[in-house]
């Protein structure tokens, strides 16, 4: 949430900072700003309401010179999106600050600073950082010391970067709850909230740990842990490709990412299946025996948010049906604030694309205190907080996902969760035949998904019917119920059409009252054991004058008529049907959003990585 870029270099850094913001814009995009110290040691600041392009135009029209600077793209928490609330915030015309996260005790600090004569010009919590550091610099010997002291007073989450025009070749950064990465250059150094921002200038990165404060100059990076001890953080070479942030031939990142799914799944499977067996090294962690842990567990507790929560819901069906292991799934923001019971030998599984979702991370930390036998994260971002703090990590190999609406991260999570199901089931009586069958189903996925993607034109035509609709209902049964939920989330998120999902059997317990010709009903109907039950639910809708859009297995014998449009989905194995049926729903929401003219990749009010609770 929000994006930060900073640089200390000999060359002018304005273009590096603005390009970095462009690459981070998916994290927040309601306003953006940059501050640079020029050669006369003056602070120059430009801020604009709206997208990074507004800022880029302003900087183009009035170029900024100088080699030390910080920049920010904002997702508003405290204070409306506006130029005055945009970062960087400045104190006494000396200190400039950018910040991700929330300073929860900002009001208390603000009152104290007002007593000291500081005047606040924004409604943000961030401005207290600038004034507090300025205030502390009256007694502290260095910017580093002032920031370290200030951090002790903050309650909440922050990734923050501070610069002082009187000490023009230095940035001080602090991390507590919001990720920051340092990028090493030759005679220049950088930092950002996500390494994607810095790929055009460096590939060598070190992640700050919780509580770290670091000072960065052109030639040195000095890192101190939460106790103030000097520490080293390992620097690694990024494996992500430089152009991961480009749309290529596609109109939107979301569409590109939908079409990348066969490759993303292939990459996620690669080298992880040997002789029809899951290679448990795929779940490895430092100093832990993944094989043994997966053997020993008797219960799985899954925690996640949003789309990742939906993949966890599917996994519950799989774990209980195929592996014979009990499983609970809960939304992270609920789990973290209630007293829960920890069964014996329970594995805590977190699922996250970003690995930085604040609620999921907090739930993992709580789970460790509660005494889960072990923790595993299914995650797409190497080096992210969830990966570093979990005992084991299964990395989905979806590649960078830029569109706010999660697509390829979801389907690769499901691939990882099915592999986990097989790896656990193997020791719980799953027959070798079933293991082999499930593995073969997984292997058939990329080709199957290519077949579904070939339906895009038909789905685009269907989307026309939704242009004037305000509400919609998604129905599924069994492991397709979470897929209906995911379809509804996708549609509401990018087309702003109100969408609800129900387990189809639940229809008659209330939602049936909503059915009329203005409420399209979308049904996912693979040819499984529940198909006849689902057909009865379809009849209930038909009898109330509802209009249906059914994504049905070619063998399920649905036919289009006046009340129902059927898209025939190629037949697939039952086990992988939740993954296969996700694709048409992703395409449907994409094309509806195109018709509605919304900002597909950066839908209103949302941000890609939710690092605040
Ligand atoms: O990075 P995470 O998977 O932890 O993110 C969780 C949710 O914020 C995320 O899935 C969100 O719901 C997506 N925008 C859905 O498309």
């Amino acid at each position: 949430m929000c994006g930060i870029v900073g640089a200390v270099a000999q060359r002018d850094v304005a273009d590096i900072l603005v390009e970095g913001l462009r690459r981070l814009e998916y994290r927040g995009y309601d306003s953006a700003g940059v501050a640079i110290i020029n050669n006369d040691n003056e602070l120059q600041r430009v801020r604009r309401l709206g997208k990074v392009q507004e800022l880029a135009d302003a900087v183009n029209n009035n170029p900024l010179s100088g080699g030390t600077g910080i920049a920010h793209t904002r997702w508003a928490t405290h204070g409306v999106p506006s130029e005055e609330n945009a970062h960087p915030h400045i104190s006494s015309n000396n200190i400039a600050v950018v910040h991700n996260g929330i300073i929860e005790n900002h009001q208390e600090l603000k009152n104290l600073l007002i007593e000291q004569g500081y005047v606040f010009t924004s409604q943000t919590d961030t401005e207290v950082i600038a004034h507090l550091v300025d205030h502390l610099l009256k007694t502290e010997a260095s910017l580093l010391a002032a920031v370290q002291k200030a951090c002790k007073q903050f309650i909440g989450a922050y990734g923050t970067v501070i610069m002082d025009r009187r000490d023009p070749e230095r940035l001080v950064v602090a991390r507590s709850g919001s990720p920051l990465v340092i990028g090493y250059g030759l005679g220049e150094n950088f930092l950002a909230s996500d390494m994607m921002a810095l790929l055009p200038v460096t590939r060598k990165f070190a992640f700050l740990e919780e509580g770290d404060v670091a000072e960065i100059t052109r030639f040195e990076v000095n890192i101190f842990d939460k106790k103030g001890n000097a520490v080293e953080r390992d620097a690694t070479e990024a494996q992500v490709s430089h152009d991961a942030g480009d749309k290529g031939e596609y109109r939107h990142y979301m569409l590109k990412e939908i079409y990348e799914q066969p490759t993303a799944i292939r990459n996620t499977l690669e080298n992880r299946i040997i002789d029809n067996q899951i290679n448990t090294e795929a779940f490895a962690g430092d100093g832990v025996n993944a094989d043994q842990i997966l053997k020993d567990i008797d219960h799985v507790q899954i925690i996640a948010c949003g789309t990742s929560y939906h993949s966890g819901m599917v996994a519950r069906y799989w774990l209980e049906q195929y592996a014979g292991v009990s499983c609970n799934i809960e939304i992270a923001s609920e789990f973290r604030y209630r007293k829960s019971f920890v069964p014996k030998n329970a594995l805590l599984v977190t699922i996250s694309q970003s690995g930085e979702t604040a609620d999921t991370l907090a739930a993992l930390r709580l789970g460790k205190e509660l005494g889960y036998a072990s923790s595993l994260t299914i995650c797409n971002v190497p080096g992210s907080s969830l990966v570093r703090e979990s005992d084991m990590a299964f990395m989905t190999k979806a590649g960078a996902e830029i569109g706010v609406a999660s697509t390829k991260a979801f389907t690769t999570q499901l691939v990882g969760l099915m592999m986990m199901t097989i790896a656990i089931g193997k020791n719980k009586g799953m027959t070798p035949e079933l293991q082999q069958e499930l593995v073969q189903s997984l292997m058939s996925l990329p080709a199957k998904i290519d077949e579904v993607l070939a339906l895009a034109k038909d789905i685009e035509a269907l989307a026309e019917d939704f242009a004037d609709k305000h509400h919609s209902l998604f129905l599924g049964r069994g492991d397709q119920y979470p897929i209906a939920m995911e379809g509804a989330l996708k549609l509401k998120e990018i087309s702003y059409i109100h969408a609800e999902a129900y387990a189809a059997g639940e229809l008659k317990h209330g939602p049936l009252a909503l059915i009329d010709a203005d409420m399209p009903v979308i049904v996912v109907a693979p040819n499984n054991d529940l198909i006849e039950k689902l057909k009865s639910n379809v009849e209930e809708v038909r009898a109330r004058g509802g209009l249906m859009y059914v994504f049905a297995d070619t063998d399920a014998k649905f036919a289009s008529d006046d009340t129902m449009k059927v898209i025939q989905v190629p037949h697939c194995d039952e086990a992988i049907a939740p993954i296969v049926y996700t694709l048409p729903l992703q395409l449907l929401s994409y094309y509806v959003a195109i018709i509605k003219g919304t900002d597909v990749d950066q839908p209103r009010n949302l941000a890609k990585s939710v690092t605040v609770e």
Side-chain angles (χ1 to χ4, degrees):
M1 232 147 209
C2 305
I4 286 178
V5 195
V8 199
Q10 192 171 30
R11 53 179 162 161
D12 288 340
V13 292
D15 288 349
I16 295 172
L17 297 177
V18 172
E19 174 57 21
L21 289 189
R22 270 191 225 284
R23 299 169 75 89
L24 290 187
E25 196 170 22
Y26 67 102
R27 296 179 68 104
Y29 34 81
D30 55 47
S31 54
V34 57
I36 290 177
I37 302 173
N38 70 13
N39 294 337
D40 298 324
N41 294 355
E42 293 162 339
L43 267 183
Q44 318 157 88
R45 174 176 67 171
V46 181
R47 297 180 294 173
R48 286 292 181 272
L49 178 63
K51 300 255 178 137
V52 171
Q53 190 55 45
E54 302 291 328
L55 179 73
D57 291 345
V59 172
N60 267 345
N61 293 338
N62 285 301
L64 302 174
S65 64
T68 303
I70 55 180
H72 189 265
T73 175
R74 180 169 186 251
W75 185 86
T77 57
H78 292 63
V80 294
S82 69
E83 199 165 304
E84 66 181 12
N85 287 333
H87 302 205
H89 290 283
I90 286 182
S91 182
S92 307
N93 212 24
N94 290 324
I95 301 295
V97 168
V98 289
H99 163 228
N100 288 354
I102 295 175
I103 305 295
E104 288 171 6
N105 59 336
H106 68 101
Q107 192 57 50
E108 189 188 319
L109 293 170
K110 185 173 178 177
N111 295 343
L112 293 172
L113 288 160
I114 288 171
E115 277 172 26
Q116 298 297 323
Y118 284 97
V119 176
F120 282 74
T121 58
S122 76
Q123 293 96 49
T124 65
D125 52 330
T126 301
E127 201 178 347
V128 299
I129 304 179
H131 294 316
L132 184 60
V133 170
D134 183 72
H135 178 60
L136 291 169
L137 264 173
K138 291 173 185 159
T139 49
E140 295 300 317
S142 67
L143 182 61
L144 174 71
V147 172
Q148 282 172 318
K149 200 158 185 185
C151 287
K152 295 207 167 73
Q153 300 190 40
F154 298 142
I155 297 173
Y158 50 86
T160 183
V161 191
I162 301 111
M163 65 182 188
D164 181 351
R165 71 170 186 86
R166 295 159 298 186
D167 186 4
E169 294 200 351
R170 187 182 314 276
L171 297 176
V172 173
V173 308
R175 176 200 164 141
S176 180
S178 288
L180 284 174
V181 61
I182 291 171
Y184 293 87
L186 285 176
E188 53 187 15
N189 286 312
F190 309 93
L191 67 104
S193 47
D194 183 328
M195 66 179 168
M196 288 284 289
L198 302 177
L199 288 176
V201 285
T202 182
R203 306 193 64 79
K204 191 176 167 194
F205 295 101
F207 291 92
L208 291 184
E209 304 260 326
E210 281 298 282
D212 283 355
V213 178
E215 57 176 357
I216 302 172
T217 67
R218 280 179 56 204
F219 301 105
E220 269 185 341
V221 175
N222 298 312
I223 307 176
F224 304 89
D225 67 11
K226 59 171 84 119
K227 293 187 181 138
N229 300 319
V231 284
E232 298 285 328
R233 300 292 177 218
D234 293 344
T236 51
E237 200 76 16
Q239 300 303 319
V240 195
S241 79
H242 176 293
D243 64 0
D246 294 338
K247 280 200 281 267
E249 70 197 72
Y250 293 94
R251 186 167 163 195
H252 292 101
Y253 284 111
M254 182 181 177
L255 192 61
K256 174 176 177 252
E257 288 159 6
I258 288 174
Y259 276 87
E260 280 173 347
Q261 286 175 106
T263 307
I265 290 174
R266 230 174 257 121
N267 291 344
T268 302
L269 290 169
E270 201 176 349
N271 297 330
R272 286 162 160 183
I273 295 174
I274 301 168
D275 296 334
N276 279 317
Q277 302 264 316
I278 304 300
N279 180 0
T280 46
E281 276 176 25
F283 300 90
D286 280 347
V288 296
N289 183 340
D291 204 36
Q292 193 60 44
I293 292 171
L294 295 177
K295 253 182 210 146
D296 289 347
I297 58 125
D298 294 324
H299 177 78
V300 176
Q301 171 68 58
I302 301 179
I303 306 285
C305 303
T307 285
S308 299
Y309 171 73
H310 297 151
S311 70
M313 283 186 74
V314 175
R316 181 164 70 104
Y317 287 90
W318 286 344
L319 279 163
E320 300 204 343
Q321 174 180 349
Y322 297 122
V325 166
S326 62
C327 175
N328 281 343
I329 157 96
E330 191 162 358
I331 292 166
S333 55
E334 287 298 313
F335 176 82
R336 67 180 288 196
Y337 288 119
R338 76 179 181 86
K339 284 208 161 47
S340 57
F341 173 77
V342 184
K344 255 181 93 190
N345 300 332
L347 175 68
L348 184 69
V349 176
T350 56
I351 309 172
S352 175
Q353 188 287 129
S354 62
E356 302 293 351
T357 301
D359 284 320
T360 312
L361 195 53
L364 167 67
R365 291 175 183 158
L366 172 69
K368 285 172 142 184
E369 280 171 26
L370 291 176
Y372 278 87
S374 191
S375 58
L376 162 70
T377 189
I378 310 269
C379 187
N380 195 39
V381 179
S384 59
S385 301
L386 280 171
V387 171
R388 282 184 287 116
E389 294 190 30
S390 300
D391 298 329
M392 301 181 288
F394 176 94
M395 300 312 304
T396 49
K397 303 270 178 83
E401 190 182 68
I402 308 285
V404 164
S406 190
T407 52
K408 60 179 180 171
F410 178 69
T411 46
T412 53
Q413 284 167 357
L414 287 172
V415 168
L417 288 161
M418 176 53 95
M419 289 168 80
M420 179 184 86
T421 303
I422 302 168
I424 292 174
K426 180 181 141 188
N427 298 299
K428 308 278 173 211
M430 187 189 283
T431 62
E433 292 73 28
L434 181 56
Q435 288 175 54
Q436 182 168 351
E437 196 184 301
L438 295 175
V439 163
Q440 289 308 317
S441 293
L442 282 177
M443 305 290 270
S444 71
L445 257 172
K448 193 53 73 181
I449 287 181
D450 275 332
E451 288 179 45
V452 179
L453 288 172
L455 300 173
K457 280 269 159 274
D458 299 339
I459 296 172
E460 188 175 3
L462 209 67
E464 300 283 343
D465 291 11
F466 290 72
D468 59 344
K469 296 293 186 284
H470 300 288
H471 306 279
S472 61
L473 202 60
F474 285 70
L475 299 179
R477 293 192 81 124
D479 59 13
Q480 293 291 329
Y481 168 43
I483 300 308
M485 293 174 77
E486 174 59 8
L489 177 63
K490 285 289 90 86
L491 190 69
K492 68 183 114 179
E493 178 169 43
I494 61 169
S495 74
Y496 315 150
I497 293 177
H498 172 222
E500 293 278 344
Y502 272 92
E506 192 61 13
L507 210 52
K508 57 180 89 60
H509 300 292
L512 209 48
L514 296 170
I515 301 296
D516 64 17
D518 284 330
M519 169 79 111
V521 179
I522 299 99
V523 186
V524 270
N527 194 22
N528 58 21
D529 288 354
L530 294 168
I531 193 68
E532 293 309 323
K533 302 277 174 212
L534 187 70
K535 282 183 176 170
S536 305
N537 304 135
V538 163
E539 291 312 316
E540 289 163 10
V541 175
R542 197 199 299 274
R544 273 91 190 164
L547 291 180
M548 282 170 291
Y549 300 84
V550 184
F551 295 95
D553 189 300
T554 35
D555 299 342
K557 302 200 171 39
F558 278 93
S560 296
D561 59 25
D562 289 352
T563 59
M564 183 157 78
K565 287 192 181 171
V566 179
I567 297 274
Q568 303 286 354
V569 178
H571 177 73
C572 66
D573 295 342
E574 185 186 335
I576 55 167
I579 305 175
V580 171
Y581 280 74
T582 299
L583 273 286
L585 302 188
Q586 292 172 346
L587 286 167
L588 179 67
S589 57
Y590 175 77
Y591 288 119
V592 173
I594 294 290
I595 292 166
K596 300 284 265 186
T598 60
D599 191 339
V600 171
D601 286 329
Q602 295 171 347
R604 67 185 182 199
N605 305 339
L606 301 179
K608 181 73 183 160
S609 180
V610 185
T611 51
V612 295
E613 65 166 300

